[in-house]
Amino acid sequence: MSADQTIRDVLKRYDVPYEGNVWQVQSARVIKHAALEQVAASAGIRFDLPTILRNERDEAVMLVAGTLGDVREWSIGEALVNVNYRVSGKQAAYVYAMAEKRAKDRVILKLVQLHGLAYSEDEADDFKQGGQDKAQATARPPAMSVDHMLHEIAECPDEAALAALKADHTFRLGYKEADELSQQRIKQALAKAAEECAA
């Protein structure tokens, strides 16, 4: 089944229309944040209170966990002004709200089995529907954060999943953009996961 059809089926299951809520930027399929909130409400996803991991004037990083039935997922949301969250003119920066949106949207996508098939519009400024035409030539899926990469490595159930993760564009981009110490942490986590899969 194609990614588009899977997205259509999942949205239909939760009474959220595909048209007007999903678009494509290059090869990335993007879903509106409001549509993901509708999916969460319709599905009965419950969120824990977020855990603040970093709180600065221009940066927020938080961990959000959610539950759908017996399934529990968590993710990291991050926003750093002028790095992965652009603010223009006199617009106020709401880093906590953006970090929360990103984390919740990632958890929703995981819980409804769309993680890796689609991104939330809040993952990158170029994903915004209003900037879609301009973004067509320049947008790319966002790089995974280091914390997100380490979580995904730890969650790999077997060698095939580990290989697929290493081949993922957002994973490779996140590794490339990480500092040297973070790259070492990622290499160590990959080596440990490979050993555990082989055992």
Side-chain angles (χ1 to χ4, degrees):
M1 182 183 306
S2 73
D4 279 328
Q5 190 58 52
T6 301
I7 294 166
R8 281 180 190 278
D9 291 348
V10 169
L11 292 181
K12 184 177 180 182
R13 182 181 325 142
Y14 298 111
D15 297 319
V16 176
Y18 181 93
E19 286 70 24
N21 287 315
V22 180
W23 61 95
Q24 194 162 327
V25 178
Q26 290 190 349
S27 62
R29 286 159 191 83
V30 182
I31 303 177
K32 277 187 179 178
H33 169 71
L36 289 172
E37 285 188 321
Q38 287 178 299
V39 166
S42 180
I45 292 174
R46 294 188 338 252
F47 292 100
D48 297 345
L49 289 174
T51 302
I52 306 298
L53 303 177
R54 189 173 306 129
N55 60 339
E56 303 291 334
R57 190 183 133 221
D58 291 335
E59 180 181 25
V61 180
M62 65 181 66
L63 179 139
V64 170
T67 306
L68 176 59
D70 294 335
V71 179
R72 183 171 175 78
E73 290 286 355
W74 65 271
S75 192
I76 304 292
E78 62 285 309
L80 177 57
V81 173
N82 295 326
V83 174
N84 67 359
Y85 175 45
R86 288 185 224 142
V87 180
S88 58
K90 294 184 180 184
Q91 177 185 357
Y94 297 100
V95 292
Y96 293 94
M98 182 57 72
E100 179 188 10
K101 279 182 177 183
R102 289 175 175 172
K104 279 187 168 181
D105 287 353
R106 290 169 183 162
V107 169
I108 294 165
L109 289 168
K110 286 180 177 185
L111 287 171
V112 299
Q113 308 291 307
L114 289 180
H115 181 68
L117 295 178
Y119 297 92
S120 162
E121 68 177 321
D122 289 314
E123 286 288 340
D125 291 325
D126 288 339
F127 283 177
K128 294 291 184 190
Q129 197 168 21
Q132 182 180 357
D133 295 335
K134 180 182 85 172
Q136 288 292 344
T138 61
R140 60 180 165 98
M144 264 189 210
S145 69
V146 172
D147 290 333
H148 190 187
M149 292 167 72
L150 293 171
H151 168 69
E152 292 294 326
I153 293 167
E155 293 292 312
C156 280
D158 54 37
E159 290 177 357
L162 193 60
L165 177 64
K166 291 190 323 192
D168 181 86
H169 176 73
T170 59
F171 183 90
R172 291 194 324 261
L173 190 58
Y175 179 82
K176 184 177 175 184
E177 292 180 359
D179 61 57
E180 190 174 330
L181 181 60
S182 296
Q183 286 183 351
Q184 289 176 353
R185 288 175 54 208
I186 294 163
K187 283 181 185 176
Q188 290 170 348
L190 285 169
K192 180 180 175 188
E195 284 177 19
E196 290 173 358
C197 288

